[in-house]
């Protein structure tokens, strides 16, 4: 199975800065096979960057998209407009769930809209600190997972990528802590088991699952060797070119 390293730039970098970063990234990239390097710049940068990149080396992801393809939705950008520009879209990131108040129903429609427009959704799930403290981690993960996947047909299931991101481990969250490999392994197991119970072992096996939350060159190797983890969703460290390149190098070594 491929290993995925996805950089989530969030609300950082102008169009010019994004272009320069990608130019330098391409120059520093090692050669690899079976590794998918993806970056998620701001929506504004996607169109020019889509012309700049060699898609055999780097792919683009949108950080969001709207679930209707067109119509009276001021300020939104639809997956039909993103179609052709990006291969992936991050959907249901915790910043959108908690700051922008996106609910499971909205996320479910976005996942379906992405697939309808030939864009692979990276569906983010993960508990907040209090849910973990109250023993609600498994329920939260299951609800977000099955909620997000509710409109996905069996045929399309293998197109979905799941990212487990415990909210309390995201570097920009106040008082963020590092998730231990055993905590991650436990949550990945919940995700894998839920997928097996809902869709069967054969279909579940084909689903890519990533981990994200304060990933850095110093912990990437540890997270990548957890059974059931197929890659990483990297926030802060993806903004620092040499750290992102280091993480890609580590992924290459872990695979070898
Ligand atoms: P982080 O962000 O790596 O800065 O913790 C990850 C994410 O929010 O996707």
């Amino acid at each position: 199975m491929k290993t995925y390293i996805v950089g989530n730039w969030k609300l950082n970098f102008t169009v010019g800065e994004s272009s320069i970063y990608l130019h330098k990234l391409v120059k520093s990239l090692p050669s690899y096979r079976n590794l998918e390097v993806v970056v998620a710049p701001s929506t504004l940068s996607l169109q020019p960057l889509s012309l700049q990149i060699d898609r055999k080396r780097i792919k683009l992801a949108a950080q969001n998209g709207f679930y209707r393809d067109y119509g009276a939705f001021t300020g939104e950008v639809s997956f039909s407009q993103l179609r052709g520009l990006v291969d992936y879209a991050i959907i249901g990131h915790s910043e959108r769930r908690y700051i922008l108040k996106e609910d499971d129903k909205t996320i479910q429609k976005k996942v379906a809209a992405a697939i309808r427009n030939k864009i692979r959704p990276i569906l983010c799930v993960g508990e907040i600190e209090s849910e973990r403290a109250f023993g609600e981690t498994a329920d939260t993960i299951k609800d977000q997972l099955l909620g997000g996947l509710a409109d996905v047909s069996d045929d399309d299931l293998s197109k979905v990528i799941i990212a487990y991101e415990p909210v309390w481990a995201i570097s920009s969250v106040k008082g963020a802590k590092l998730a231990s490999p055993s905590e991650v392994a436990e949550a990945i197991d919940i995700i894998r088991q839920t997928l097996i119970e809902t869709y069967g072992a054969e279909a579940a096996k084909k689903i890519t699952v990533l981990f994200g939350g304060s990933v850095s060159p110093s912990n990437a190797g540890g997270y990548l060797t957890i059974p059931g983890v197929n890659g990483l969703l990297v926030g802060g460290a993806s903004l620092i070119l040499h750290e992102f390149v280091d993480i890609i190098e580590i992924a290459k070594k872990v695979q070898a």
Side-chain angles (χ1 to χ4, degrees), residues 9-243:
W9 292 355
K10 307 191 180 182
L11 185 49
N12 295 289
F13 292 162
T14 62
V15 175
E17 287 163 347
S18 304
S19 171
I20 292 168
Y21 179 110
L22 270 192
H23 188 72
K24 292 185 184 160
L25 176 62
V26 169
K27 285 192 164 170
S28 337
L29 276 182
S31 63
Y32 47 73
R33 282 192 312 166
N34 243 357
L35 200 66
E36 186 92 324
V37 177
V38 184
V39 293
S42 90
T43 307
L44 201 58
S45 301
L46 291 172
Q47 203 276 337
L49 293 183
S50 73
L51 302 175
Q52 177 182 331
I53 56 159
D54 171 1
R55 288 194 190 197
K56 284 193 222 82
R57 298 286 278 154
I58 294 177
K59 299 230 174 31
L60 293 176
Q63 295 177 21
N64 183 33
F66 192 59
Y67 54 80
R68 294 282 289 272
D69 286 348
Y70 56 86
F73 303 103
T74 301
E76 294 296 336
V77 173
S78 67
F79 289 104
S80 62
Q81 292 170 321
L82 292 166
R83 187 176 182 147
L85 301 183
V86 299
D87 286 279
Y88 300 92
I90 298 171
I91 297 178
H93 188 280
S94 57
E95 284 145 23
R96 298 213 58 89
R97 287 180 191 268
Y98 298 105
I99 304 173
L100 283 310
K101 309 282 178 240
E102 270 184 26
D103 57 16
D104 279 329
K105 191 82 199 149
T106 304
I107 292 164
Q108 170 187 337
K109 290 193 222 162
K110 289 188 173 191
V111 168
I115 293 177
R116 184 166 75 233
N117 286 292
K118 311 251 177 289
I119 295 170
R120 289 185 67 185
I122 302 173
L123 170 65
C124 301
V125 302
E127 78 287 1
I128 58 173
E129 193 170 25
S130 61
E131 286 165 337
R132 174 160 283 264
F134 290 120
E136 295 163 2
T137 300
D139 284 346
T140 302
I141 292 175
K142 278 185 204 167
D143 286 352
Q144 293 180 352
L145 187 62
L146 297 180
L149 295 177
D151 281 346
V152 179
S153 71
D154 286 359
D155 284 348
D156 287 334
L157 207 57
S158 62
K159 296 177 184 146
V160 180
I161 294 177
I162 307 295
Y164 170 59
E165 294 209 310
V167 182
W168 48 271
I170 291 180
S171 67
S172 52
V173 169
K174 211 164 155 247
K177 295 185 205 77
L178 269 188
S180 71
S182 64
E183 286 168 327
V184 177
E186 211 176 298
I188 297 292
D189 208 47
I190 293 166
I191 292 173
R192 292 273 176 210
Q193 280 309 322
T194 307
L195 293 173
I196 291 171
E197 280 160 26
T198 316
Y199 303 104
E202 205 46 43
K205 205 164 62 187
K206 294 190 191 132
I207 299 179
T208 298
V209 181
L210 314 180
F211 169 72
S214 298
V215 170
S216 71
S218 58
N219 59 32
Y223 290 134
L224 281 170
T225 44
I226 295 169
V229 171
N230 308 116
L232 302 167
L233 180 52
V234 187
S238 74
L239 298 172
I240 306 162
L241 182 68
H242 67 90
E243 295 205 4

